[in-house]
Amino acid sequence: MHVKKISFILFLSTVFTLYAKEPLPNGYKNILLGLTLDETKQELIKNSDFGYHGDRDVSLRPNDNQVIIETDASNGYGSIFLTQCWFQFYEKKLYTITINMNTEKLDYYSVFTTLTNKYGEPESFSPKQAIWSDDSITMVLEKPLALKYIDNKTQKELQNYSNIQKSAAETTKEMFLGEL
């Protein structure tokens, strides 16, 4: 009887190992969420897939602490599978990666199937997008064919900040209207 229990436990652990899914990635290749702006630039230079051209691809959003790097691989200097990609920073840390894929070379179903096989079924699925998430990372596959990696902690912080700004703006508006 004892041998049967051990055999059954070994069988179950083998089955779970076969069906265990990989943890969500915190970025694409060596470009990882949390990298500094300079570290991200260095990785983009090392990886020609994105068609990064240097500082001319970097811009600062006015009135906030957000920097965006926009690359364009569709000009023949990057991967044939990528088009435009965006790397967003908040407080000098990479918190969102958006990779747009070439729909002439890849299709949504192939990417969706690959992600599902690697990471399991999405937690949310609609005709427009599929979402995989854990405590720290959210990965979103959007139609027509974009893949986003999002740092959940920073995203939540920005949403909270945005809500504070909205309520302040609403208060100011009410004060203005009250004086009419």
Coordinates of all heavy atoms in Angstrom, one line a residue, residues 78-112:
G78 N 15.5 46.8 -38.6 CA 15.2 46.0 -37.5 C 14.7 44.6 -37.9 O 14.8 44.2 -39.0
S79 N 14.0 43.9 -37.0 CA 13.5 42.6 -37.3 C 12.3 42.7 -38.2 O 11.5 43.7 -38.2 CB 12.9 42.0 -36.0 OG 12.2 40.8 -36.2
I80 N 12.2 41.8 -39.1 CA 11.0 41.8 -40.1 C 9.7 41.5 -39.3 O 8.6 41.7 -39.9 CB 11.2 40.8 -41.2 CG1 11.3 39.3 -40.7 CG2 12.4 41.1 -42.1 CD1 11.3 38.3 -41.7
F81 N 9.8 41.0 -38.1 CA 8.6 40.7 -37.3 C 8.1 41.9 -36.5 O 7.0 41.8 -36.0 CB 8.9 39.5 -36.4 CG 9.2 38.3 -37.2 CD1 10.6 37.8 -37.2 CD2 8.3 37.6 -37.9 CE1 10.9 36.7 -37.9 CE2 8.7 36.4 -38.6 CZ 10.0 36.0 -38.6
L82 N 8.8 42.9 -36.4 CA 8.4 44.1 -35.6 C 8.2 45.3 -36.4 O 8.7 45.4 -37.5 CB 9.5 44.4 -34.6 CG 9.9 43.3 -33.6 CD1 11.0 43.8 -32.7 CD2 8.7 42.8 -32.8
T83 N 7.3 46.2 -35.9 CA 7.1 47.5 -36.5 C 7.5 48.5 -35.4 O 8.6 48.5 -34.9 CB 5.7 47.7 -37.0 OG1 4.8 47.6 -36.0 CG2 5.4 46.7 -38.1
Q84 N 6.6 49.4 -35.1 CA 6.9 50.4 -34.0 C 6.8 49.8 -32.6 O 6.0 48.9 -32.4 CB 5.9 51.5 -34.1 CG 6.1 52.4 -35.3 CD 5.2 53.6 -35.3 OE1 4.0 53.4 -35.2 NE2 5.7 54.8 -35.3
C85 N 7.7 50.2 -31.8 CA 7.7 49.8 -30.4 C 7.9 51.0 -29.5 O 8.6 51.9 -29.8 CB 8.8 48.7 -30.1 SG 8.7 47.3 -31.2
W86 N 7.3 50.9 -28.3 CA 7.4 52.0 -27.3 C 7.8 51.5 -26.0 O 7.4 50.4 -25.6 CB 6.0 52.7 -27.2 CG 5.6 53.4 -28.4 CD1 6.0 54.6 -28.9 CD2 4.6 52.9 -29.3 NE1 5.3 54.9 -30.0 CE2 4.5 53.9 -30.3 CE3 3.8 51.8 -29.4 CZ2 3.6 53.8 -31.4 CZ3 2.9 51.7 -30.5 CH2 2.8 52.7 -31.5
F87 N 8.7 52.2 -25.4 CA 9.2 51.9 -24.1 C 9.0 53.1 -23.2 O 9.5 54.2 -23.4 CB 10.7 51.6 -24.2 CG 11.0 50.6 -25.2 CD1 11.2 50.9 -26.5 CD2 11.1 49.2 -24.8 CE1 11.5 49.9 -27.5 CE2 11.4 48.2 -25.7 CZ 11.5 48.6 -27.1
Q88 N 8.1 53.0 -22.2 CA 7.7 54.1 -21.4 C 8.4 54.0 -20.0 O 8.5 52.9 -19.4 CB 6.2 54.1 -21.2 CG 5.4 54.5 -22.4 CD 3.9 54.6 -22.1 OE1 3.3 53.6 -22.2 NE2 3.5 55.7 -21.7
F89 N 8.8 55.2 -19.5 CA 9.5 55.3 -18.3 C 8.7 56.2 -17.3 O 8.1 57.2 -17.8 CB 10.9 55.9 -18.5 CG 11.8 55.0 -19.3 CD1 11.7 55.1 -20.7 CD2 12.7 54.1 -18.8 CE1 12.5 54.3 -21.5 CE2 13.5 53.3 -19.6 CZ 13.4 53.4 -21.0
Y90 N 8.8 55.9 -16.1 CA 8.3 56.7 -15.0 C 9.3 56.8 -13.9 O 9.8 55.7 -13.4 CB 6.9 56.2 -14.5 CG 6.4 57.1 -13.4 CD1 5.9 58.4 -13.8 CD2 6.3 56.7 -12.1 CE1 5.4 59.2 -12.8 CE2 5.8 57.5 -11.2 CZ 5.3 58.8 -11.5 OH 4.8 59.6 -10.5
E91 N 9.7 58.0 -13.5 CA 10.7 58.2 -12.5 C 12.0 57.4 -12.9 O 12.6 56.7 -12.1 CB 10.2 57.8 -11.1 CG 9.1 58.7 -10.7 CD 8.7 58.5 -9.2 OE1 9.0 57.5 -8.6 OE2 7.9 59.3 -8.7
K92 N 12.3 57.5 -14.2 CA 13.6 56.9 -14.8 C 13.6 55.4 -14.8 O 14.7 54.8 -15.0 CB 14.8 57.5 -14.1 CG 14.9 59.0 -14.1 CD 16.1 59.5 -13.5 CE 16.1 61.0 -13.5 NZ 17.2 61.6 -12.8
K93 N 12.5 54.7 -14.6 CA 12.4 53.3 -14.7 C 11.4 52.8 -15.8 O 10.4 53.4 -15.9 CB 12.0 52.7 -13.3 CG 12.9 52.9 -12.2 CD 14.1 52.1 -12.3 CE 15.0 52.3 -11.0 NZ 16.2 51.5 -11.1
L94 N 11.8 51.8 -16.5 CA 11.0 51.3 -17.6 C 9.8 50.6 -16.9 O 10.0 49.7 -16.1 CB 11.8 50.3 -18.4 CG 11.1 49.7 -19.6 CD1 10.6 50.7 -20.6 CD2 12.0 48.7 -20.3
Y95 N 8.6 51.0 -17.3 CA 7.4 50.4 -16.7 C 6.4 49.8 -17.7 O 5.5 49.0 -17.4 CB 6.7 51.3 -15.7 CG 5.7 52.3 -16.3 CD1 4.4 52.0 -16.5 CD2 6.2 53.5 -16.8 CE1 3.5 52.9 -17.0 CE2 5.3 54.4 -17.4 CZ 4.0 54.1 -17.5 OH 3.1 55.0 -18.1
T96 N 6.6 50.2 -19.0 CA 5.7 49.6 -20.0 C 6.5 49.4 -21.3 O 7.2 50.3 -21.7 CB 4.5 50.5 -20.3 OG1 3.8 50.8 -19.2 CG2 3.6 49.9 -21.4
I97 N 6.3 48.2 -21.9 CA 6.9 47.9 -23.2 C 5.8 47.5 -24.1 O 5.0 46.7 -23.8 CB 7.9 46.7 -23.1 CG1 9.0 47.0 -22.1 CG2 8.4 46.3 -24.5 CD1 9.9 45.7 -21.7
T98 N 5.7 48.2 -25.2 CA 4.7 47.9 -26.2 C 5.4 47.5 -27.5 O 6.2 48.3 -28.1 CB 3.8 49.1 -26.5 OG1 3.2 49.5 -25.3 CG2 2.7 48.7 -27.5
I99 N 5.2 46.3 -27.9 CA 5.8 45.7 -29.1 C 4.7 45.5 -30.2 O 3.8 44.7 -30.0 CB 6.5 44.4 -28.8 CG1 7.6 44.7 -27.8 CG2 7.1 43.8 -30.1 CD1 8.3 43.4 -27.3
N100 N 4.8 46.2 -31.3 CA 3.9 46.1 -32.4 C 4.5 45.1 -33.4 O 5.7 45.3 -33.8 CB 3.5 47.4 -33.0 CG 2.6 48.2 -32.2 OD1 1.5 47.9 -31.9 ND2 3.2 49.3 -31.6
M101 N 3.8 44.1 -33.8 CA 4.3 43.1 -34.7 C 3.8 43.3 -36.1 O 2.7 43.8 -36.3 CB 4.0 41.7 -34.1 CG 4.8 41.4 -32.9 SD 4.2 39.9 -32.1 CE 3.4 40.6 -30.7
N102 N 4.6 42.9 -37.0 CA 4.2 43.0 -38.5 C 3.2 42.0 -38.8 O 3.4 40.8 -38.8 CB 5.5 42.8 -39.3 CG 5.3 43.0 -40.7 OD1 4.2 43.0 -41.3 ND2 6.4 43.1 -41.4
T103 N 2.0 42.5 -39.1 CA 0.9 41.6 -39.4 C 1.0 40.9 -40.8 O 0.2 40.0 -41.1 CB -0.5 42.3 -39.4 OG1 -0.4 43.4 -40.3 CG2 -0.8 42.8 -38.0
E104 N 2.0 41.3 -41.6 CA 2.3 40.6 -42.9 C 3.1 39.3 -42.6 O 3.2 38.5 -43.5 CB 2.9 41.5 -43.8 CG 2.0 42.6 -44.3 CD 2.7 43.6 -45.2 OE1 3.9 43.3 -45.7 OE2 2.1 44.6 -45.5
K105 N 3.8 39.3 -41.4 CA 4.7 38.2 -41.1 C 4.1 37.3 -40.0 O 4.5 36.1 -39.9 CB 6.1 38.7 -40.7 CG 6.7 39.5 -41.7 CD 7.2 38.7 -42.9 CE 7.9 39.6 -44.0 NZ 8.1 38.9 -45.2
L106 N 3.3 37.8 -39.2 CA 2.7 37.1 -38.0 C 1.2 37.3 -38.0 O 0.7 38.4 -38.5 CB 3.4 37.6 -36.7 CG 4.8 37.3 -36.5 CD1 5.3 38.1 -35.3 CD2 5.1 35.9 -36.3
D107 N 0.5 36.4 -37.3 CA -0.9 36.6 -37.1 C -1.3 36.5 -35.6 O -0.5 35.9 -34.9 CB -1.7 35.6 -38.0 CG -1.5 34.2 -37.5 OD1 -0.5 33.6 -38.0 OD2 -2.3 33.7 -36.7
Y108 N -2.4 37.1 -35.3 CA -2.8 37.1 -33.9 C -2.9 35.7 -33.3 O -2.5 35.4 -32.2 CB -4.1 37.9 -33.8 CG -4.6 38.0 -32.4 CD1 -4.2 39.1 -31.6 CD2 -5.5 37.1 -31.8 CE1 -4.7 39.3 -30.3 CE2 -5.9 37.2 -30.5 CZ -5.5 38.3 -29.7 OH -6.0 38.4 -28.4
Y109 N -3.5 34.8 -34.1 CA -3.8 33.5 -33.6 C -2.5 32.8 -33.2 O -2.4 32.1 -32.2 CB -4.6 32.7 -34.6 CG -4.9 31.3 -34.1 CD1 -5.8 31.0 -33.1 CD2 -4.2 30.2 -34.6 CE1 -6.1 29.8 -32.6 CE2 -4.4 28.9 -34.1 CZ -5.4 28.7 -33.1 OH -5.6 27.4 -32.6
S110 N -1.5 32.9 -34.1 CA -0.2 32.2 -33.8 C 0.5 32.8 -32.5 O 1.0 32.0 -31.7 CB 0.8 32.5 -35.0 OG 0.3 31.8 -36.1
V111 N 0.4 34.1 -32.3 CA 1.0 34.7 -31.1 C 0.2 34.3 -29.9 O 0.7 33.9 -28.9 CB 1.1 36.2 -31.3 CG1 1.6 36.8 -30.0 CG2 2.0 36.6 -32.4
F112 N -1.1 34.3 -30.0 CA -2.0 33.9 -28.9 C -1.7 32.5 -28.5 O -1.6 32.2 -27.3 CB -3.5 34.1 -29.3 CG -4.4 33.6 -28.3 CD1 -4.7 34.4 -27.1 CD2 -5.0 32.4 -28.4 CE1 -5.6 33.9 -26.2 CE2 -5.9 31.9 -27.4 CZ -6.2 32.7 -26.3

